[in-house]
Amino acid sequence: MGAFDPWDPAFVADPYPAYAELRARGRVEYFEPSDQWLVAHHADVSALLRDRRLGRTYLHRFTHEEFGRTAPPAEHEPFHVLNDHGMLDLEAPDHTRIRRLVSKAFTPRTVERLQPYVRELAGRLVGDLVEAGGGDLLKDVAEPLPVAVIAEMLGVPEADRAPLRPWSADICGMYELNPSRETAERAVRASVEFSEYLRELIAQRRARPGDDLISGLIAAHDEGDRLSEQEMISTCVLLLNAGHEATVNATVNGWWALFRNPDQLAALRADPTLVPTAVEELMRYDTPLQMFERWVLDDIEIDGTTIPRGAEIALLFGSANHDPEVFDRPGTLDLGRTENPHISFSAGIHYCIGAPLARIELAASMRALLEQAPDLAPVADPQRNPNFVIRGLKGLDVRVG
Ligand code: HEM
């Protein structure tokens, strides 16, 4: 069994045995290389996500200096301005305000209305894959589907969509542990370009509103309150990035798990009514986002250990999703699992706003692949991305027929 080491490819390939060791050792453990406290049990991860003594940011209460941290270098400013005005990196009251405004435009009804479009697009992408006799499931289906859906929702014209994925990938590099200088430079460049593009698009929608989400965000108001220009830009980037990164990985991680569990895949093919529980189980079994961090805003105690204000906690979602105290035989893929309180969409105030959309997308591509490619099979073992937090594959080559 390997140790917890997010920079070790062997750990990244299969972190679950190391998580089991961590859980067996206790409820909280200091990890010196990233200066974080690791929390690996489901009950603790779930409780801490709801604990207001923790936050995704501390800047609503303290300066960097007061919190004992150094401000990020000035040259990273474009990334931080973008990131720090999105709801994911805000706490109350700004988080509450922005999430409420965004929820006015991004409603369950707008998502539900998309259902036929998502199904039709999934069918078309899978149809092309089948016609070609196979291809890369990531590039041909998993990626284009959520990118097109969120771009369509926001009203990003088709001709402008090519840079969305590279911008997003470059920005997401900053969410890994200790990003390199080169990663930071790429993220800053992407932040500048992405922001400029959206500023222009928002100006166009202000002049000529449509029935897209950007127009909805411009119109959204609440007791006289509106999103500022920067909040609009940050929200669009967040929706575009969060709206596809995890879905792409959940799709390919899920299919790779199915290929490695042929009995489960056969059961799913024989009974497609399993699709809803299969989607949840695959998100649990190989968790697409393995870890989220929280700052300790006021001292907390876990199992007799005091974690002081200013410390950082790493909530290990992948471990929580494999905790035998909550999941019967957690290492077994069971597509019919009905009791499945996985934490892949988080919990508390930052619970994923896009979860209903993600579920529609994952089910649509799964159904299309089951129906149109009943003999879908991998061509070779895929290569894994070296990243720990955003867990995914470089590609997944498949054949049909
Ligand atoms: C399989 C797909 C997805 C997964 C696994 C996922 C997971 C998550 C998680 C874990 C969080 C909270 C992180 C934390 O607590 O620190 C989150 C937040 C968020 N997600 Fe998702 N997500 C997915 C798809 C989507 C989609 C499709 C959208 C939008 C269209 C989206 C938009 C967001 C937004 C805006 C937030 C921030 C919510 C807030 O801070 O209040 N996500 N997501």
PDB file of all heavy atoms in Angstrom, residues 49 56 87-88 95 99 106 150 238-239 242-243 246-247 250 283 288-289 292 294 317 344-346 349-354 357-358 362, ligand 1:
ATOM      1  N   LEU A  49     -17.856  20.675   5.874  1.00  0.00           N
ATOM      2  CA  LEU A  49     -18.355  21.454   4.728  1.00  0.00           C
ATOM      3  C   LEU A  49     -19.488  22.388   5.153  1.00  0.00           C
ATOM      4  O   LEU A  49     -19.767  23.380   4.498  1.00  0.00           O
ATOM      5  CB  LEU A  49     -18.857  20.508   3.622  1.00  0.00           C
ATOM      6  CG  LEU A  49     -17.768  19.842   2.779  1.00  0.00           C
ATOM      7  CD1 LEU A  49     -18.374  18.753   1.900  1.00  0.00           C
ATOM      8  CD2 LEU A  49     -17.030  20.859   1.914  1.00  0.00           C
ATOM      9  N   ARG A  56     -13.953  29.129   2.375  1.00  0.00           N
ATOM     10  CA  ARG A  56     -13.143  28.973   1.155  1.00  0.00           C
ATOM     11  C   ARG A  56     -12.200  30.156   1.010  1.00  0.00           C
ATOM     12  O   ARG A  56     -11.225  30.091   0.274  1.00  0.00           O
ATOM     13  CB  ARG A  56     -14.047  28.854  -0.076  1.00  0.00           C
ATOM     14  CG  ARG A  56     -14.653  27.467  -0.181  1.00  0.00           C
ATOM     15  CD  ARG A  56     -14.991  27.118  -1.607  1.00  0.00           C
ATOM     16  NE  ARG A  56     -13.982  27.462  -2.561  1.00  0.00           N
ATOM     17  CZ  ARG A  56     -13.317  26.601  -3.332  1.00  0.00           C
ATOM     18  NH1 ARG A  56     -13.546  25.315  -3.230  1.00  0.00           N
ATOM     19  NH2 ARG A  56     -12.447  27.022  -4.204  1.00  0.00           N
ATOM     20  N   MET A  87     -18.543  33.063  -6.952  1.00  0.00           N
ATOM     21  CA  MET A  87     -19.150  32.638  -5.674  1.00  0.00           C
ATOM     22  C   MET A  87     -18.387  31.503  -5.004  1.00  0.00           C
ATOM     23  O   MET A  87     -18.381  31.394  -3.783  1.00  0.00           O
ATOM     24  CB  MET A  87     -20.607  32.225  -5.893  1.00  0.00           C
ATOM     25  CG  MET A  87     -20.793  30.933  -6.636  1.00  0.00           C
ATOM     26  SD  MET A  87     -22.524  30.522  -6.827  1.00  0.00           S
ATOM     27  CE  MET A  87     -22.779  30.974  -8.516  1.00  0.00           C
ATOM     28  N   LEU A  88     -17.716  30.693  -5.806  1.00  0.00           N
ATOM     29  CA  LEU A  88     -17.020  29.538  -5.215  1.00  0.00           C
ATOM     30  C   LEU A  88     -15.934  29.987  -4.243  1.00  0.00           C
ATOM     31  O   LEU A  88     -15.624  29.284  -3.293  1.00  0.00           O
ATOM     32  CB  LEU A  88     -16.428  28.662  -6.332  1.00  0.00           C
ATOM     33  CG  LEU A  88     -15.763  27.357  -5.917  1.00  0.00           C
ATOM     34  CD1 LEU A  88     -16.671  26.490  -5.056  1.00  0.00           C
ATOM     35  CD2 LEU A  88     -15.317  26.571  -7.141  1.00  0.00           C
ATOM     36  N   HIS A  95     -21.166  35.763  -0.903  1.00  0.00           N
ATOM     37  CA  HIS A  95     -21.557  34.489  -1.504  1.00  0.00           C
ATOM     38  C   HIS A  95     -23.070  34.378  -1.580  1.00  0.00           C
ATOM     39  O   HIS A  95     -23.636  34.020  -2.620  1.00  0.00           O
ATOM     40  CB  HIS A  95     -20.969  33.308  -0.719  1.00  0.00           C
ATOM     41  CG  HIS A  95     -21.465  31.987  -1.210  1.00  0.00           C
ATOM     42  ND1 HIS A  95     -22.612  31.381  -0.719  1.00  0.00           N
ATOM     43  CD2 HIS A  95     -21.038  31.188  -2.213  1.00  0.00           C
ATOM     44  CE1 HIS A  95     -22.835  30.263  -1.380  1.00  0.00           C
ATOM     45  NE2 HIS A  95     -21.890  30.118  -2.284  1.00  0.00           N
ATOM     46  N   ARG A  99     -24.877  34.102  -5.140  1.00  0.00           N
ATOM     47  CA  ARG A  99     -25.532  32.820  -5.435  1.00  0.00           C
ATOM     48  C   ARG A  99     -27.031  33.041  -5.653  1.00  0.00           C
ATOM     49  O   ARG A  99     -27.644  32.423  -6.522  1.00  0.00           O
ATOM     50  CB  ARG A  99     -25.269  31.804  -4.320  1.00  0.00           C
ATOM     51  CG  ARG A  99     -25.872  30.449  -4.653  1.00  0.00           C
ATOM     52  CD  ARG A  99     -25.195  29.290  -3.991  1.00  0.00           C
ATOM     53  NE  ARG A  99     -25.939  28.078  -4.245  1.00  0.00           N
ATOM     54  CZ  ARG A  99     -25.434  26.871  -4.418  1.00  0.00           C
ATOM     55  NH1 ARG A  99     -24.147  26.695  -4.371  1.00  0.00           N
ATOM     56  NH2 ARG A  99     -26.190  25.836  -4.642  1.00  0.00           N
ATOM     57  N   PHE A 106     -30.179  30.906 -13.328  1.00  0.00           N
ATOM     58  CA  PHE A 106     -29.810  29.497 -13.524  1.00  0.00           C
ATOM     59  C   PHE A 106     -30.778  28.654 -12.695  1.00  0.00           C
ATOM     60  O   PHE A 106     -30.432  28.150 -11.634  1.00  0.00           O
ATOM     61  CB  PHE A 106     -28.359  29.335 -13.047  1.00  0.00           C
ATOM     62  CG  PHE A 106     -27.706  28.036 -13.419  1.00  0.00           C
ATOM     63  CD1 PHE A 106     -27.380  27.751 -14.728  1.00  0.00           C
ATOM     64  CD2 PHE A 106     -27.366  27.094 -12.455  1.00  0.00           C
ATOM     65  CE1 PHE A 106     -26.753  26.565 -15.069  1.00  0.00           C
ATOM     66  CE2 PHE A 106     -26.734  25.908 -12.780  1.00  0.00           C
ATOM     67  CZ  PHE A 106     -26.437  25.643 -14.094  1.00  0.00           C
ATOM     68  N   ILE A 150     -22.890  24.263 -21.832  1.00  0.00           N
ATOM     69  CA  ILE A 150     -22.739  25.461 -21.006  1.00  0.00           C
ATOM     70  C   ILE A 150     -22.521  26.697 -21.891  1.00  0.00           C
ATOM     71  O   ILE A 150     -23.022  27.781 -21.584  1.00  0.00           O
ATOM     72  CB  ILE A 150     -21.637  25.285 -19.917  1.00  0.00           C
ATOM     73  CG1 ILE A 150     -21.689  26.408 -18.879  1.00  0.00           C
ATOM     74  CG2 ILE A 150     -20.256  25.158 -20.491  1.00  0.00           C
ATOM     75  CD1 ILE A 150     -22.924  26.457 -18.040  1.00  0.00           C
ATOM     76  N   LEU A 238     -16.618  31.070 -14.053  1.00  0.00           N
ATOM     77  CA  LEU A 238     -16.868  29.957 -13.132  1.00  0.00           C
ATOM     78  C   LEU A 238     -17.858  28.967 -13.743  1.00  0.00           C
ATOM     79  O   LEU A 238     -17.630  27.756 -13.725  1.00  0.00           O
ATOM     80  CB  LEU A 238     -17.398  30.500 -11.792  1.00  0.00           C
ATOM     81  CG  LEU A 238     -17.805  29.448 -10.761  1.00  0.00           C
ATOM     82  CD1 LEU A 238     -16.605  28.583 -10.358  1.00  0.00           C
ATOM     83  CD2 LEU A 238     -18.406  30.098  -9.523  1.00  0.00           C
ATOM     84  N   LEU A 239     -18.940  29.485 -14.309  1.00  0.00           N
ATOM     85  CA  LEU A 239     -19.935  28.575 -14.898  1.00  0.00           C
ATOM     86  C   LEU A 239     -19.343  27.819 -16.084  1.00  0.00           C
ATOM     87  O   LEU A 239     -19.570  26.627 -16.251  1.00  0.00           O
ATOM     88  CB  LEU A 239     -21.183  29.350 -15.331  1.00  0.00           C
ATOM     89  CG  LEU A 239     -22.081  29.839 -14.193  1.00  0.00           C
ATOM     90  CD1 LEU A 239     -23.147  30.790 -14.705  1.00  0.00           C
ATOM     91  CD2 LEU A 239     -22.738  28.668 -13.463  1.00  0.00           C
ATOM     92  N   ALA A 242     -16.440  25.381 -14.289  1.00  0.00           N
ATOM     93  CA  ALA A 242     -17.049  24.347 -13.440  1.00  0.00           C
ATOM     94  C   ALA A 242     -18.078  23.572 -14.246  1.00  0.00           C
ATOM     95  O   ALA A 242     -18.334  22.401 -13.971  1.00  0.00           O
ATOM     96  CB  ALA A 242     -17.707  24.993 -12.226  1.00  0.00           C
ATOM     97  N   GLY A 243     -18.652  24.253 -15.266  1.00  0.00           N
ATOM     98  CA  GLY A 243     -19.703  23.626 -16.052  1.00  0.00           C
ATOM     99  C   GLY A 243     -19.221  22.528 -16.974  1.00  0.00           C
ATOM    100  O   GLY A 243     -20.030  21.845 -17.586  1.00  0.00           O
ATOM    101  N   ALA A 246     -15.376  19.018 -14.537  1.00  0.00           N
ATOM    102  CA  ALA A 246     -15.645  17.797 -13.768  1.00  0.00           C
ATOM    103  C   ALA A 246     -16.506  16.817 -14.554  1.00  0.00           C
ATOM    104  O   ALA A 246     -16.357  15.601 -14.407  1.00  0.00           O
ATOM    105  CB  ALA A 246     -16.322  18.152 -12.449  1.00  0.00           C
ATOM    106  N   THR A 247     -17.380  17.342 -15.405  1.00  0.00           N
ATOM    107  CA  THR A 247     -18.263  16.453 -16.162  1.00  0.00           C
ATOM    108  C   THR A 247     -17.457  15.631 -17.175  1.00  0.00           C
ATOM    109  O   THR A 247     -17.720  14.442 -17.372  1.00  0.00           O
ATOM    110  CB  THR A 247     -19.353  17.276 -16.893  1.00  0.00           C
ATOM    111  OG1 THR A 247     -19.815  18.291 -16.004  1.00  0.00           O
ATOM    112  CG2 THR A 247     -20.505  16.413 -17.302  1.00  0.00           C
ATOM    113  N   ALA A 250     -15.718  13.026 -15.092  1.00  0.00           N
ATOM    114  CA  ALA A 250     -16.658  12.040 -14.546  1.00  0.00           C
ATOM    115  C   ALA A 250     -17.071  11.055 -15.646  1.00  0.00           C
ATOM    116  O   ALA A 250     -17.225   9.859 -15.405  1.00  0.00           O
ATOM    117  CB  ALA A 250     -17.885  12.740 -13.977  1.00  0.00           C
ATOM    118  N   MET A 283     -19.808   8.343  -9.854  1.00  0.00           N
ATOM    119  CA  MET A 283     -19.266   9.571  -9.264  1.00  0.00           C
ATOM    120  C   MET A 283     -18.676   9.303  -7.876  1.00  0.00           C
ATOM    121  O   MET A 283     -17.802  10.005  -7.425  1.00  0.00           O
ATOM    122  CB  MET A 283     -20.377  10.605  -9.104  1.00  0.00           C
ATOM    123  CG  MET A 283     -20.950  11.044 -10.409  1.00  0.00           C
ATOM    124  SD  MET A 283     -20.634  12.746 -10.712  1.00  0.00           S
ATOM    125  CE  MET A 283     -21.268  13.435  -9.257  1.00  0.00           C
ATOM    126  N   PRO A 288     -14.538  12.530  -9.211  1.00  0.00           N
ATOM    127  CA  PRO A 288     -13.837  13.386 -10.190  1.00  0.00           C
ATOM    128  C   PRO A 288     -13.051  14.537  -9.563  1.00  0.00           C
ATOM    129  O   PRO A 288     -12.031  14.943 -10.111  1.00  0.00           O
ATOM    130  CB  PRO A 288     -14.957  13.927 -11.080  1.00  0.00           C
ATOM    131  CG  PRO A 288     -16.246  13.540 -10.460  1.00  0.00           C
ATOM    132  CD  PRO A 288     -15.998  12.510  -9.416  1.00  0.00           C
ATOM    133  N   LEU A 289     -13.523  15.074  -8.442  1.00  0.00           N
ATOM    134  CA  LEU A 289     -12.773  16.136  -7.760  1.00  0.00           C
ATOM    135  C   LEU A 289     -12.401  15.573  -6.394  1.00  0.00           C
ATOM    136  O   LEU A 289     -13.264  15.354  -5.545  1.00  0.00           O
ATOM    137  CB  LEU A 289     -13.627  17.401  -7.641  1.00  0.00           C
ATOM    138  CG  LEU A 289     -14.070  17.978  -8.993  1.00  0.00           C
ATOM    139  CD1 LEU A 289     -15.170  19.013  -8.819  1.00  0.00           C
ATOM    140  CD2 LEU A 289     -12.883  18.598  -9.730  1.00  0.00           C
ATOM    141  N   PHE A 292     -11.129  19.286  -1.663  1.00  0.00           N
ATOM    142  CA  PHE A 292     -11.380  20.729  -1.580  1.00  0.00           C
ATOM    143  C   PHE A 292     -10.843  21.244  -0.263  1.00  0.00           C
ATOM    144  O   PHE A 292     -10.856  20.537   0.734  1.00  0.00           O
ATOM    145  CB  PHE A 292     -12.870  21.045  -1.740  1.00  0.00           C
ATOM    146  CG  PHE A 292     -13.278  21.040  -3.178  1.00  0.00           C
ATOM    147  CD1 PHE A 292     -13.788  19.899  -3.764  1.00  0.00           C
ATOM    148  CD2 PHE A 292     -13.097  22.162  -3.961  1.00  0.00           C
ATOM    149  CE1 PHE A 292     -14.125  19.880  -5.103  1.00  0.00           C
ATOM    150  CE2 PHE A 292     -13.431  22.151  -5.304  1.00  0.00           C
ATOM    151  CZ  PHE A 292     -13.950  21.014  -5.872  1.00  0.00           C
ATOM    152  N   ARG A 294     -10.360  24.216   2.842  1.00  0.00           N
ATOM    153  CA  ARG A 294     -11.038  25.245   3.618  1.00  0.00           C
ATOM    154  C   ARG A 294     -10.023  25.884   4.566  1.00  0.00           C
ATOM    155  O   ARG A 294      -9.158  25.189   5.111  1.00  0.00           O
ATOM    156  CB  ARG A 294     -12.170  24.645   4.461  1.00  0.00           C
ATOM    157  CG  ARG A 294     -13.361  24.106   3.675  1.00  0.00           C
ATOM    158  CD  ARG A 294     -14.171  25.208   3.015  1.00  0.00           C
ATOM    159  NE  ARG A 294     -15.402  24.729   2.401  1.00  0.00           N
ATOM    160  CZ  ARG A 294     -15.509  24.328   1.136  1.00  0.00           C
ATOM    161  NH1 ARG A 294     -14.459  24.305   0.335  1.00  0.00           N
ATOM    162  NH2 ARG A 294     -16.683  23.943   0.665  1.00  0.00           N
ATOM    163  N   PHE A 317     -12.441  14.247  -0.544  1.00  0.00           N
ATOM    164  CA  PHE A 317     -13.741  13.751  -1.025  1.00  0.00           C
ATOM    165  C   PHE A 317     -13.648  12.283  -1.471  1.00  0.00           C
ATOM    166  O   PHE A 317     -14.545  11.494  -1.232  1.00  0.00           O
ATOM    167  CB  PHE A 317     -14.233  14.589  -2.210  1.00  0.00           C
ATOM    168  CG  PHE A 317     -14.793  15.941  -1.850  1.00  0.00           C
ATOM    169  CD1 PHE A 317     -14.390  16.618  -0.709  1.00  0.00           C
ATOM    170  CD2 PHE A 317     -15.728  16.556  -2.672  1.00  0.00           C
ATOM    171  CE1 PHE A 317     -14.914  17.872  -0.390  1.00  0.00           C
ATOM    172  CE2 PHE A 317     -16.263  17.795  -2.368  1.00  0.00           C
ATOM    173  CZ  PHE A 317     -15.854  18.463  -1.229  1.00  0.00           C
ATOM    174  N   SER A 344     -19.578  13.935  -3.798  1.00  0.00           N
ATOM    175  CA  SER A 344     -18.880  14.449  -4.979  1.00  0.00           C
ATOM    176  C   SER A 344     -19.342  15.837  -5.396  1.00  0.00           C
ATOM    177  O   SER A 344     -18.607  16.561  -6.065  1.00  0.00           O
ATOM    178  CB  SER A 344     -19.049  13.477  -6.151  1.00  0.00           C
ATOM    179  OG  SER A 344     -18.469  12.253  -5.808  1.00  0.00           O
ATOM    180  N   PHE A 345     -20.572  16.226  -5.036  1.00  0.00           N
ATOM    181  CA  PHE A 345     -21.060  17.575  -5.355  1.00  0.00           C
ATOM    182  C   PHE A 345     -20.928  18.512  -4.152  1.00  0.00           C
ATOM    183  O   PHE A 345     -21.519  19.580  -4.136  1.00  0.00           O
ATOM    184  CB  PHE A 345     -22.527  17.531  -5.799  1.00  0.00           C
ATOM    185  CG  PHE A 345     -22.740  16.980  -7.189  1.00  0.00           C
ATOM    186  CD1 PHE A 345     -23.547  15.867  -7.392  1.00  0.00           C
ATOM    187  CD2 PHE A 345     -22.160  17.578  -8.300  1.00  0.00           C
ATOM    188  CE1 PHE A 345     -23.769  15.364  -8.672  1.00  0.00           C
ATOM    189  CE2 PHE A 345     -22.371  17.081  -9.582  1.00  0.00           C
ATOM    190  CZ  PHE A 345     -23.175  15.974  -9.768  1.00  0.00           C
ATOM    191  N   SER A 346     -20.170  18.098  -3.136  1.00  0.00           N
ATOM    192  CA  SER A 346     -19.959  18.891  -1.933  1.00  0.00           C
ATOM    193  C   SER A 346     -21.219  18.944  -1.073  1.00  0.00           C
ATOM    194  O   SER A 346     -22.156  18.137  -1.260  1.00  0.00           O
ATOM    195  CB  SER A 346     -19.465  20.294  -2.298  1.00  0.00           C
ATOM    196  OG  SER A 346     -19.005  20.976  -1.153  1.00  0.00           O
ATOM    197  N   ILE A 349     -23.016  25.485   1.939  1.00  0.00           N
ATOM    198  CA  ILE A 349     -23.388  26.639   1.093  1.00  0.00           C
ATOM    199  C   ILE A 349     -22.791  26.567  -0.310  1.00  0.00           C
ATOM    200  O   ILE A 349     -23.290  27.184  -1.223  1.00  0.00           O
ATOM    201  CB  ILE A 349     -23.024  27.991   1.749  1.00  0.00           C
ATOM    202  CG1 ILE A 349     -21.509  28.154   1.884  1.00  0.00           C
ATOM    203  CG2 ILE A 349     -23.723  28.175   3.085  1.00  0.00           C
ATOM    204  CD1 ILE A 349     -21.094  29.610   2.122  1.00  0.00           C
ATOM    205  N   HIS A 350     -21.691  25.832  -0.486  1.00  0.00           N
ATOM    206  CA  HIS A 350     -21.067  25.765  -1.819  1.00  0.00           C
ATOM    207  C   HIS A 350     -21.525  24.540  -2.615  1.00  0.00           C
ATOM    208  O   HIS A 350     -20.955  24.251  -3.672  1.00  0.00           O
ATOM    209  CB  HIS A 350     -19.536  25.780  -1.698  1.00  0.00           C
ATOM    210  CG  HIS A 350     -19.006  27.086  -1.190  1.00  0.00           C
ATOM    211  ND1 HIS A 350     -18.999  28.220  -1.961  1.00  0.00           N
ATOM    212  CD2 HIS A 350     -18.511  27.436   0.009  1.00  0.00           C
ATOM    213  CE1 HIS A 350     -18.497  29.234  -1.251  1.00  0.00           C
ATOM    214  NE2 HIS A 350     -18.197  28.780  -0.047  1.00  0.00           N
ATOM    215  N   TYR A 351     -22.546  23.842  -2.106  1.00  0.00           N
ATOM    216  CA  TYR A 351     -23.046  22.664  -2.838  1.00  0.00           C
ATOM    217  C   TYR A 351     -23.212  23.027  -4.316  1.00  0.00           C
ATOM    218  O   TYR A 351     -23.763  24.080  -4.663  1.00  0.00           O
ATOM    219  CB  TYR A 351     -24.391  22.198  -2.253  1.00  0.00           C
ATOM    220  CG  TYR A 351     -24.958  21.018  -3.004  1.00  0.00           C
ATOM    221  CD1 TYR A 351     -24.492  19.725  -2.746  1.00  0.00           C
ATOM    222  CD2 TYR A 351     -25.908  21.182  -4.003  1.00  0.00           C
ATOM    223  CE1 TYR A 351     -24.976  18.640  -3.459  1.00  0.00           C
ATOM    224  CE2 TYR A 351     -26.403  20.098  -4.719  1.00  0.00           C
ATOM    225  CZ  TYR A 351     -25.927  18.832  -4.440  1.00  0.00           C
ATOM    226  OH  TYR A 351     -26.393  17.752  -5.155  1.00  0.00           O
ATOM    227  N   CYS A 352     -22.740  22.136  -5.168  1.00  0.00           N
ATOM    228  CA  CYS A 352     -22.667  22.417  -6.609  1.00  0.00           C
ATOM    229  C   CYS A 352     -24.003  22.902  -7.175  1.00  0.00           C
ATOM    230  O   CYS A 352     -24.998  22.170  -7.156  1.00  0.00           O
ATOM    231  CB  CYS A 352     -22.230  21.148  -7.337  1.00  0.00           C
ATOM    232  SG  CYS A 352     -22.166  21.399  -9.124  1.00  0.00           S
ATOM    233  N   ILE A 353     -23.965  24.092  -7.711  1.00  0.00           N
ATOM    234  CA  ILE A 353     -25.181  24.688  -8.285  1.00  0.00           C
ATOM    235  C   ILE A 353     -25.550  23.988  -9.603  1.00  0.00           C
ATOM    236  O   ILE A 353     -26.688  24.013 -10.044  1.00  0.00           O
ATOM    237  CB  ILE A 353     -24.951  26.210  -8.490  1.00  0.00           C
ATOM    238  CG1 ILE A 353     -26.238  27.003  -8.415  1.00  0.00           C
ATOM    239  CG2 ILE A 353     -24.241  26.503  -9.769  1.00  0.00           C
ATOM    240  CD1 ILE A 353     -26.006  28.528  -8.410  1.00  0.00           C
ATOM    241  N   GLY A 354     -24.553  23.331 -10.210  1.00  0.00           N
ATOM    242  CA  GLY A 354     -24.767  22.689 -11.511  1.00  0.00           C
ATOM    243  C   GLY A 354     -25.069  21.201 -11.414  1.00  0.00           C
ATOM    244  O   GLY A 354     -25.140  20.521 -12.445  1.00  0.00           O
ATOM    245  N   LEU A 357     -27.706  19.791 -13.745  1.00  0.00           N
ATOM    246  CA  LEU A 357     -27.261  19.792 -15.144  1.00  0.00           C
ATOM    247  C   LEU A 357     -26.237  18.681 -15.382  1.00  0.00           C
ATOM    248  O   LEU A 357     -26.299  17.962 -16.385  1.00  0.00           O
ATOM    249  CB  LEU A 357     -26.657  21.165 -15.501  1.00  0.00           C
ATOM    250  CG  LEU A 357     -26.111  21.290 -16.920  1.00  0.00           C
ATOM    251  CD1 LEU A 357     -27.201  21.025 -17.955  1.00  0.00           C
ATOM    252  CD2 LEU A 357     -25.520  22.685 -17.151  1.00  0.00           C
ATOM    253  N   ALA A 358     -25.296  18.539 -14.447  1.00  0.00           N
ATOM    254  CA  ALA A 358     -24.276  17.491 -14.590  1.00  0.00           C
ATOM    255  C   ALA A 358     -24.944  16.119 -14.690  1.00  0.00           C
ATOM    256  O   ALA A 358     -24.572  15.283 -15.517  1.00  0.00           O
ATOM    257  CB  ALA A 358     -23.318  17.528 -13.401  1.00  0.00           C
ATOM    258  N   LEU A 362     -24.517  13.554 -17.761  1.00  0.00           N
ATOM    259  CA  LEU A 362     -23.900  12.232 -17.574  1.00  0.00           C
ATOM    260  C   LEU A 362     -24.865  11.128 -17.998  1.00  0.00           C
ATOM    261  O   LEU A 362     -24.471  10.161 -18.655  1.00  0.00           O
ATOM    262  CB  LEU A 362     -23.469  12.053 -16.112  1.00  0.00           C
ATOM    263  CG  LEU A 362     -22.313  12.964 -15.669  1.00  0.00           C
ATOM    264  CD1 LEU A 362     -22.136  12.923 -14.157  1.00  0.00           C
ATOM    265  CD2 LEU A 362     -21.002  12.574 -16.359  1.00  0.00           C
TER     266      LEU A 362
HETATM  267  C1  HEM B   1     -19.744  15.869 -12.515  1.00  0.00           C
HETATM  268  C2  HEM B   1     -19.808  17.159 -12.571  1.00  0.00           C
HETATM  269  C3  HEM B   1     -19.585  18.107 -11.414  1.00  0.00           C
HETATM  270  C4  HEM B   1     -18.975  17.897 -10.198  1.00  0.00           C
HETATM  271  C5  HEM B   1     -18.359  16.614  -9.671  1.00  0.00           C
HETATM  272  C6  HEM B   1     -19.032  19.151  -9.481  1.00  0.00           C
HETATM  273  C7  HEM B   1     -18.558  19.338  -8.197  1.00  0.00           C
HETATM  274  C8  HEM B   1     -18.631  20.525  -7.485  1.00  0.00           C
HETATM  275  C9  HEM B   1     -18.159  20.691  -6.136  1.00  0.00           C
HETATM  276  C10 HEM B   1     -17.489  19.609  -5.319  1.00  0.00           C
HETATM  277  C11 HEM B   1     -18.405  21.985  -5.766  1.00  0.00           C
HETATM  278  C12 HEM B   1     -18.126  22.658  -4.413  1.00  0.00           C
HETATM  279  C13 HEM B   1     -16.678  22.767  -4.047  1.00  0.00           C
HETATM  280  C14 HEM B   1     -16.500  23.137  -2.600  1.00  0.00           C
HETATM  281  O1  HEM B   1     -17.334  22.826  -1.752  1.00  0.00           O
HETATM  282  O2  HEM B   1     -15.453  23.738  -2.275  1.00  0.00           O
HETATM  283  C15 HEM B   1     -19.040  22.631  -6.893  1.00  0.00           C
HETATM  284  C16 HEM B   1     -19.433  23.944  -6.917  1.00  0.00           C
HETATM  285  C17 HEM B   1     -19.915  24.564  -8.026  1.00  0.00           C
HETATM  286  N1  HEM B   1     -20.235  23.971  -9.232  1.00  0.00           N
HETATM  287 FE1  HEM B   1     -20.060  22.028  -9.708  1.00  0.00          FE
HETATM  288  N2  HEM B   1     -19.636  20.093 -10.267  1.00  0.00           N
HETATM  289  C18 HEM B   1     -19.993  19.496 -11.460  1.00  0.00           C
HETATM  290  C19 HEM B   1     -20.649  20.102 -12.505  1.00  0.00           C
HETATM  291  C20 HEM B   1     -21.025  21.420 -12.554  1.00  0.00           C
HETATM  292  C21 HEM B   1     -21.764  22.047 -13.621  1.00  0.00           C
HETATM  293  C22 HEM B   1     -22.285  21.330 -14.859  1.00  0.00           C
HETATM  294  C23 HEM B   1     -21.870  23.381 -13.303  1.00  0.00           C
HETATM  295  C24 HEM B   1     -22.526  24.531 -14.002  1.00  0.00           C
HETATM  296  C25 HEM B   1     -23.101  24.557 -15.093  1.00  0.00           C
HETATM  297  C26 HEM B   1     -21.228  23.572 -12.022  1.00  0.00           C
HETATM  298  C27 HEM B   1     -21.133  24.786 -11.368  1.00  0.00           C
HETATM  299  C28 HEM B   1     -20.684  24.954 -10.078  1.00  0.00           C
HETATM  300  C29 HEM B   1     -20.666  26.236  -9.395  1.00  0.00           C
HETATM  301  C30 HEM B   1     -21.079  27.585  -9.961  1.00  0.00           C
HETATM  302  C31 HEM B   1     -20.174  25.991  -8.101  1.00  0.00           C
HETATM  303  C32 HEM B   1     -19.967  27.005  -6.974  1.00  0.00           C
HETATM  304  C33 HEM B   1     -21.136  26.946  -6.023  1.00  0.00           C
HETATM  305  C34 HEM B   1     -20.938  27.831  -4.803  1.00  0.00           C
HETATM  306  O3  HEM B   1     -19.810  28.174  -4.446  1.00  0.00           O
HETATM  307  O4  HEM B   1     -21.958  28.182  -4.178  1.00  0.00           O
HETATM  308  N3  HEM B   1     -20.736  22.368 -11.589  1.00  0.00           N
HETATM  309  N4  HEM B   1     -19.168  21.715  -7.937  1.00  0.00           N
END
